[in-house]
Amino acid sequence: MTSVPRPCARCGGEIPAERVEALPDTQVCIRCSSEMGGEFDVYVVSERISKDGSLKKNYGGYATKKVRKPIRPKE
Ligand SMILES: [Zn+2]
């Protein structure tokens, strides 16, 4: 699969192909991403697999939830 550069949703600049390759769902360039403090907010949530009321606590591990931050046009 070959990635191609795409325009940044924030500044209109070019997102290099290498970044698109590494982060296929990215919409902003490296500079905008760092200015935003990261393009995504990542939450770690524990997966609870035991039933409610159970005395035994079973945690199935952790899942990460990635939420895209709103992209505001650069002033
Ligand atoms: Zn940008």
Side-chain angles (χ1 to χ4, degrees):
M1 204 174 85
T2 314
S3 297
V4 289
R6 68 170 79 137
C8 171
R10 189 165 175 263
C11 71
E14 190 178 84
I15 305 171
E18 305 85 71
R19 176 169 166 82
V20 177
E21 185 109 30
L23 283 165
D25 51 356
T26 190
Q27 289 183 1
V28 295
C29 69
I30 298 161
R31 200 170 57 182
C32 287
S33 175
S34 70
E35 282 175 11
M36 288 162 70
E39 183 176 2
F40 299 98
D41 278 324
V42 180
Y43 301 97
V44 179
V45 287
S46 59
E47 287 173 354
R48 202 164 147 226
I49 55 172
S50 63
K51 286 182 201 148
D52 279 340
S54 171
L55 293 173
K56 215 162 97 182
K57 280 182 182 160
N58 286 314
Y59 291 98
Y62 297 94
T64 52
K65 207 177 145 194
K66 213 161 69 164
V67 179
R68 185 185 300 279
K69 290 181 184 175
I71 297 167
R72 293 185 201 89
K74 205 176 166 176
E75 301 100 54

